[in-house]
Amino acid sequence: MVATTSLVVGSFVWVEDSDVAWIDGAVVEVNGEDIKVLCTSGKTVVVKAANAYPKDAEAPQCGVDDMTKLAYLHEPGVLQNLRSRYDMGEIYTYTGNILIAVNPFRKLPHLYDSHMMAQYKGAAFGELSPHPFAVADVAYRLMINEGISQSILVSGESGAGKTESTKLLMRYLAYMGGRAAAEGRTVEQQVLESNPVLEAFGNAKTVRNNNSSRFGKFVEIQFDRRGRISGAAIRTYLLERSRVCQVSEPERNYHCFYMLCAAPLEDIQQYKLGNPRTFHYLNQSNCYELDGVDDCKEYIATRKAMDVVGIGSDEQDAIFRVVAAILHLGNIEFAKGKEIDSSVPKDEKSCFHLRTAAELFMCDEKLLEDSLCKRVIVTRDETITKWLDPEAAALSRDALAKIVYSRLFDWIVDKINSSIGQDPDSKFLIGVLDIYGFESFKTNSFEQFCINLTNEKLQQHFNQHVFKMEQEEYTKEEINWSYIEFVDNQDVLDLIEKKPGGIIALLDEACMFPRSTHETFAQKLYQTFKNHKRFNKPKLSRSDFTICHYAGDVTYQTELFLDKNKDYVVAEHQALLSASKCSFVSGLFPPVAEESSKSSKFSSIGSRFKQQLQALLETLSSTEPHYIRCVKPNNLLKPSIFENKNVLQQLRCGGVMEAIRISCAGYPTRKPFDEFVDRFGLLAPDVLDGSSDEVAACKKLLENVGLQGYQIGKTKVFLRAGQMAELDTRRTEILGKSASIIQRKIRSYLARKNFIVLLRSALQIQSVCRGQLARKVYEGMRREAASLRIQRDLRMHHARKAYKDLCSSAVSIQTGMRGMAARNELRFRRQTRAAIIIQSQCRKYLAQLHFLHLKSAAIATQCAWRGRLARKELRKLKMAARETGALQAAKNKLEKQVEELTWRLQLEKRMRVDMEEAKTQENAKLQSALLDMQLQFKETKELLAREHEAAKRAAEVVPVIQEVQAVDHVMFEKLTSENEKLKAMVSSLEKKIDETEKKFEETNKISEERLKQALEAESKIVQLKTVMHRLEEKLSDMESETQVLRQQAMLKSPVNKVSQYPPIPVIPNLENGHHMDEPNTSNEPKSVTPVKKVGTQSDGKLRRSNLERQHENVEALINCVTKDIGFSHGKPVAAFTIYKCLLHWKSFEAERTNVFDCLIQMIGFAIENEENNVHMAYWLSNTSSLLFLLQKSLKAAGSSGTTPSRKPTPPTSLFGRMTMGFRSSPSSNNLAAAAVLAVVCQVEAKYPALLFKQQLAAYVEKIYGIIRDNLKKELSSLLSLCIQAPRTSKGNVLRSGRSIGKDSPSTHWQSIIDNLNTLLSTLKENFVPPVLIQKIFTQTFSYINVQLFNSLLLRRECCTFSNGEYVKSGLAELELWCCQAKEEYAGSSWDELKHIRQAVGFLVIHQKYRISYDEITNDLCPILSVQQLYRICTLYWDDNYNTRSVSSDVISSMRVLMTEDSNDAVGSSFLLDDNSSIPFSVDELSNSLQDREFLEVKPAEELLENPAFQFLHE
């Protein structure tokens, strides 16, 4: 890894630093093998050139997402890349196919929501930003496509985030392989919910982590052939038992103990618990609570998770009873007993806890005490009981607690596995390994020894995988790799686990001898491995030993090795708990068979763990591995802190540096041809002149440079370690020489330019001075000439002014004298004229006053006399008018009564049109009687008219002055006789009206009774009709027997059942499959149906013919509208025809009908071909128009405030109203004309009609969604190409003017425009309502905005200056399309692109580093969130001009705001969601259309020729 090339002054290098591990700087002096480096911190250091690593000065500030792309793959380069990405908020980085995850120590919910999972679903590895979802997705895809089981290994030290990463992997696999929830719990739910259960019983707070897993876990998720999760299994490794009894500061015991102490009150009382500070197993540390964690809520959540994974409530109670018993065990203290070396419970408190533990274990209290304080030794001759001293009794107590907890944890794991279930037929699996990382503390015991053994085994597996990947890469590129060496750690593994001389074997041997101690064990190790290169003995210790692991040296203390390695259960404990009355507790300790106990006297944890580890490695070897290395950036567990030394140590422990070492043994630097030519083309410019082959150019370039040992692959150039630095050194030299030449040329150019400027300035100054002198002489001459002319003009002015003053004075005096004389004359004339006028007016007034007095006296006299005569005549006329007024009032009253009776008879006639013949005859009689009455009234009216005319003529003839006769006695007598005749006629009419009313009441009662009978018969007919329909459906496919069976069904079942009831009137025509609730009185061409008896043969035939005719009509309508019958005046013919037929058949008012079901089924069949947008647009137009007509027509039954639409307007006169009631009908010419004009008629809709309307609205939404989604599918493939500009090679463009990208930048955008135009023309041709077209394109543009914007944020190669220009040009084409489509169809589509428009606008701005944060948020990108802006600013890079992004102050401001909003899941998400909802309502659709638009629509021509559809002509 150390650079072998010589460094020059100006080279950028990395040097070691005691504080920050590595620090960068520039070489300022080279002295042989020593170089002087000026560091960026300001200090200067002198180091060996061999210890300095080259630095890539052109590396992006935000780092690279895959560290194999680094120009220099070494420790400082990897460390700096991780730090740069961490500072920018990027916590994930690839190293090939290995994912490195740096714990952010804060919640980032936006990175793990369902939308993010959808983004990574099916995406190629490396296409999007690094993420655990990408690793899980590539594993799932490989399993499905190649049929190979996969495994994902998650490792890292405590607190690095292994458990969280494992949860994310399992979430994604459940997302990909999950199935729709049916009954009960799904496998994926149980797998996910097993995490909180295992965390509660297997995780604890440690020094390095608040939720550290104290066990290893391997989750096998099984899949069926379709890729669905079919089963799962969880395997655990090496639970830390000692933590149950021993907790050091500031750690905690397992979470379940604290959860139980914070449980609800009833649970605490049940288990007799209290504050955790009162229990010995918990109060050894002062840490009882965790920040941000509520143990009570966690307890409830854990119990819910137990329900999900299949642990019942009884089993949960038993589990927590055992946990509580362990806590009570810990509080039992011992004191010396009466016997020698004996022990008893110390005090009453200990006795209470002993009694409570016995109650919870459901065992005998005395036996529990004996098992803790005594031991039974069985010999050949006798059984000896031995007392234990207090210390031994305490150890026995702790041993019982540890074995009980270990058995409990194993039971929970087994229960979860049995509940989830394994699929024996599963062929594939994906295993997720969450294992402890390499550990090295001040005190390292048996647990650290086993953990580090695990990591050694996994590291060997990891090295083999990395070496294999290197081989695959070289094979893929077809280069020679036979001389690459492989570093192996098999010697360490042999040291630990080899039989019979390994450390574990020696430990088992020491445990089998009772007199062995840790010191004798250590001495045995010293003797056995004294010459082993991986084993050392510390100088100042007698029992410690050191192993040189791959990650560093670790010293182990052997004091507790023997005790922790023994895996046995005390016989007294086994007997006590196996005899427990609690089946759960006894199940934890099943009785051991005597033979098995003899055969396996000794069992060690180390051997068992080695076997488990070997089985795990065999499983992993049979799968395709994937690696996630978790890194903890600091030991403070706080965000935004990156400790270089800490991270570097973890990279070494995680094997990342070992993988880099393997890569460096081969070809660590790999550059694609275009990038290599772009970077090093200036080393040999001649090879690029006119060259079109980049491979040949790379070969020539490397030959000219003189490098040896490189390889040319199919797509990349492979360089050995140090060759990249050598090329960069030569490139730096050439760039330095070029800079000198450029400086010389620039300085020459500036000097010449300065001389020319000085020369031009001198000439210009001389010309200006000479001009100034000439201008001064000329100015003096001008002033002299001007002064002479001014003097002359001034003298002339004074003389002229004196003359004008004298002249004006004389004229003024003359004018004043003449004016005064004229004014005196005028005043005299005015006075004379005024006197004359006053005299004439005075005389006129006196004469006029006299005349008026005379006139008023004459008029008063005439008026008094005429008034006297008029009053006399008025008295006579009043007397005559009284008698005429009484007669008129009686006439009006009678007229109202007759009108009311006429209206009632009219309604009765409408309701009883189709009643029996007897009732019709009675109505005819009543009609003839009323006609006679009408004639009499007509004569009376004529008499009254004559009387009115005579009265008017008498009133008009009024004497003016002459006195006339006041009363005409002859006329008065004649009127009196006529009034008497009228009174007699009125009395006779009243009698007839009373008789008619009585008959009407009787007839009404009879009609009501018959109507009830008709309704009962109608219900029976409905039942018979349903039976008939079922029979017809069953027998439709039997052609030969159809006629025979139909006759039997029509003749037998309907007639026989109906004939049991008394005769009822025949119901009018049953229109097209539904039953009318009211008699059909509108537009019926037939006359009144005569009364027939039900059950006769003729009646049955009539009913069969009606049903057949109804089905034929419905079938004819459906057959017609199923075809594409086009449009009429811009409206769909099919929708209008269906509406007119339903309106005529009164289907909307029917209680039961199957017409709507047929129509819905027809529409469903018609839209089965979802890919044809033309067909979908045709039916969208039809369904939306029909829905509009229904929305305007239908009203719920019983709605108030409305009147029947077919009620005729009553005439004003009595005769007109009577004529309308008796001689006209609702189907008159006037009403028919009104019906033609009013296309939409309101009707009271029944339930089937309202249900049909809802179903139709659902189909409109469905067809709308299909068209929209079809357009999205067509655009999705194009959008992925539109977000990134075609790649070009800078070197070839500069030299040969050739572009590598073959596609025109506007080709993909033009394809999008073509798709939009095609759909728009299709929708226009099918006359889809404009509001729906607007919504389709608005949502489509929103989809374009989401896809482009999310791709911009997820792909760093898209956040470039050139790419912004490319996308901006495409957006301009979309804007032009919106303008051409006009607002009627495009609507607000352009506004939906606001996110991508502002983001692209930011990308193409020059000098971004000068823009402040306020300018960005207020002016440039006001719609973008802080997270989105931060993402764009950190991902931005300029591939054309190498310009910088925004300043570091702006980045810091954004980071502060993001930290404040980090807990807001919604606000933290930087990706946009696609809205696939239906953006319109039925009311909005109805408001966009007008009734009058359907006035000129013509029905289907095919149906107009059918006689049954003649009503469509109306």
Side-chain angles (χ1 to χ4, degrees), residues 931-948:
L931 288 173
D932 295 338
M933 293 169 62
Q934 181 179 0
L935 295 174
Q936 293 177 5
F937 271 105
K938 186 176 181 180
E939 294 175 358
T940 304
K941 189 172 182 180
E942 292 177 354
L943 293 176
L944 290 175
R946 293 171 189 161
E947 183 180 352
H948 279 296

Side-chain angles (χ1 to χ4, degrees), residues 512-549:
M512 296 175 65
F513 293 99
R515 297 183 179 180
S516 296
T517 63
H518 67 279
E519 294 180 349
T520 59
F521 168 65
Q523 293 301 323
K524 184 70 172 178
L525 292 179
Y526 298 154
Q527 294 175 5
T528 306
F529 305 113
K530 59 182 178 180
N531 296 325
H532 202 288
K533 63 179 180 179
R534 295 278 191 169
F535 184 90
N536 295 320
K537 175 185 178 300
K539 294 181 179 180
L540 302 179
S541 175
R542 299 179 58 185
S543 61
D544 298 348
F545 65 92
T546 301
I547 297 179
C548 301
H549 291 284

Side-chain angles (χ1 to χ4, degrees), residues 420-530:
I420 295 175
Q422 300 188 34
D423 183 10
D425 299 328
S426 175
K427 301 298 181 183
F428 317 117
L429 65 87
I430 295 180
V432 180
L433 178 64
D434 176 8
I435 202 73
Y436 10 64
F438 191 89
E439 292 186 355
S440 177
F441 305 125
K442 292 183 179 179
T443 302
N444 300 288
S445 187
F446 182 71
E447 290 85 2
Q448 282 70 41
F449 178 76
C450 294
I451 288 172
N452 292 340
L453 169 61
T454 304
N455 283 272
E456 285 286 354
K457 297 282 286 186
L458 294 177
Q459 182 62 30
Q460 185 185 47
H461 185 268
F462 176 70
N463 290 344
Q464 293 173 352
H465 173 70
V466 172
F467 184 64
K468 177 183 175 183
M469 296 304 296
E470 288 287 314
Q471 291 178 343
E472 290 179 356
E473 176 73 11
Y474 299 156
T475 303
K476 179 182 177 182
E477 293 289 334
E478 299 179 358
I479 66 173
N480 185 14
W481 48 271
S482 58
Y483 50 81
I484 298 176
E485 296 180 357
F486 171 60
V487 181
D488 197 1
N489 61 341
Q490 186 62 41
D491 53 348
V492 180
L493 297 176
D494 293 340
L495 170 67
I496 297 175
E497 60 180 1
K498 185 178 179 180
K499 288 186 177 182
I503 295 178
I504 294 179
L506 295 176
L507 180 62
D508 292 344
E509 181 182 347
C511 291
M512 296 175 65
F513 293 99
R515 297 183 179 180
S516 296
T517 63
H518 67 279
E519 294 180 349
T520 59
F521 168 65
Q523 293 301 323
K524 184 70 172 178
L525 292 179
Y526 298 154
Q527 294 175 5
T528 306
F529 305 113
K530 59 182 178 180

Side-chain angles (χ1 to χ4, degrees), residues 1138-1376:
I1138 293 172
Y1139 173 75
K1140 296 298 288 185
C1141 291
L1142 295 177
L1143 194 65
H1144 175 74
W1145 293 338
K1146 289 193 173 181
S1147 301
F1148 301 133
E1149 305 170 48
E1151 292 284 357
R1152 293 170 296 275
T1153 178
N1154 60 354
V1155 177
F1156 298 135
D1157 295 335
C1158 296
L1159 292 174
I1160 289 297
Q1161 189 175 11
M1162 179 267 297
I1163 296 174
F1165 288 149
I1167 63 174
E1168 285 183 348
N1169 185 14
E1170 298 182 356
E1171 301 298 330
N1172 190 350
N1173 276 344
V1174 177
H1175 193 61
M1176 290 292 110
Y1178 171 77
W1179 280 106
L1180 180 60
S1181 178
N1182 278 279
T1183 52
S1184 60
S1185 298
L1186 182 57
L1187 180 61
F1188 161 74
L1189 295 172
L1190 296 182
Q1191 179 73 5
K1192 292 294 185 181
S1193 300
L1194 303 186
K1195 61 178 181 179
S1199 59
S1200 60
T1202 59
T1203 58
S1205 60
R1206 301 187 183 187
K1207 182 177 179 180
T1209 304
T1212 55
S1213 63
L1214 175 63
F1215 179 77
R1217 287 193 294 270
M1218 293 175 68
T1219 305
M1220 179 64 70
F1222 290 103
R1223 297 183 180 179
S1224 64
S1225 66
S1227 60
S1228 61
N1229 295 332
N1230 294 333
L1231 288 179
V1236 171
L1237 293 176
V1239 177
V1240 179
C1241 302
Q1242 285 195 353
V1243 294
E1244 290 188 358
K1246 301 298 182 182
Y1247 175 74
L1250 297 176
L1251 179 60
F1252 174 66
K1253 176 185 169 185
Q1254 294 178 358
Q1255 294 173 336
L1256 190 63
Y1259 266 114
V1260 172
E1261 295 177 355
K1262 180 179 179 180
I1263 299 172
Y1264 169 89
I1266 291 173
I1267 296 176
R1268 178 198 61 198
D1269 294 340
N1270 287 342
L1271 181 58
K1272 287 183 179 181
K1273 290 178 183 177
E1274 295 173 357
L1275 298 182
S1276 61
S1277 59
L1278 297 173
L1279 291 175
S1280 61
L1281 301 174
C1282 289
I1283 188 57
Q1284 189 172 3
R1287 296 184 61 182
T1288 58
S1289 176
K1290 295 180 188 175
N1292 289 334
V1293 170
L1294 290 174
R1295 293 294 176 185
S1296 61
R1298 180 181 60 86
S1299 175
I1300 300 301
K1302 296 181 181 179
D1303 295 333
S1304 173
S1306 61
T1307 301
H1308 307 306
W1309 289 102
Q1310 188 59 42
S1311 300
I1312 293 178
I1313 299 298
D1314 294 341
N1315 286 330
L1316 296 177
N1317 286 330
T1318 301
L1319 181 61
L1320 179 59
S1321 61
T1322 300
L1323 297 176
K1324 284 183 178 180
E1325 291 170 359
N1326 289 276
F1327 298 99
V1328 177
V1331 64
L1332 297 183
I1333 299 178
Q1334 284 186 11
K1335 299 298 182 182
I1336 288 175
F1337 286 113
T1338 299
Q1339 285 197 311
T1340 301
F1341 272 66
S1342 176
Y1343 173 76
I1344 294 173
N1345 178 65
V1346 170
Q1347 294 300 314
L1348 293 180
F1349 188 75
N1350 288 347
S1351 299
L1352 194 71
L1353 298 186
L1354 291 174
R1355 303 180 183 180
R1356 183 175 179 271
E1357 63 270 14
C1358 296
C1359 283
T1360 63
F1361 185 88
S1362 60
N1363 194 65
E1365 293 179 331
Y1366 172 70
V1367 177
K1368 186 177 181 181
S1369 64
L1371 295 178
E1373 295 185 16
L1374 291 181
E1375 182 180 14
L1376 179 61

Side-chain angles (χ1 to χ4, degrees), residues 318-356:
I319 289 171
F320 287 106
R321 188 186 303 115
V322 171
V323 173
I326 292 173
L327 289 178
H328 287 290
L329 274 180
N331 279 14
I332 301 175
E333 299 180 0
F334 299 96
K336 291 184 179 181
K338 298 179 181 179
E339 301 291 338
I340 300 174
D341 293 336
S342 64
S343 59
V344 294
K346 183 177 181 181
D347 49 20
E348 185 60 32
K349 178 182 176 182
S350 297
C351 294
F352 167 76
H353 288 291
L354 177 67
R355 184 167 54 255
T356 304

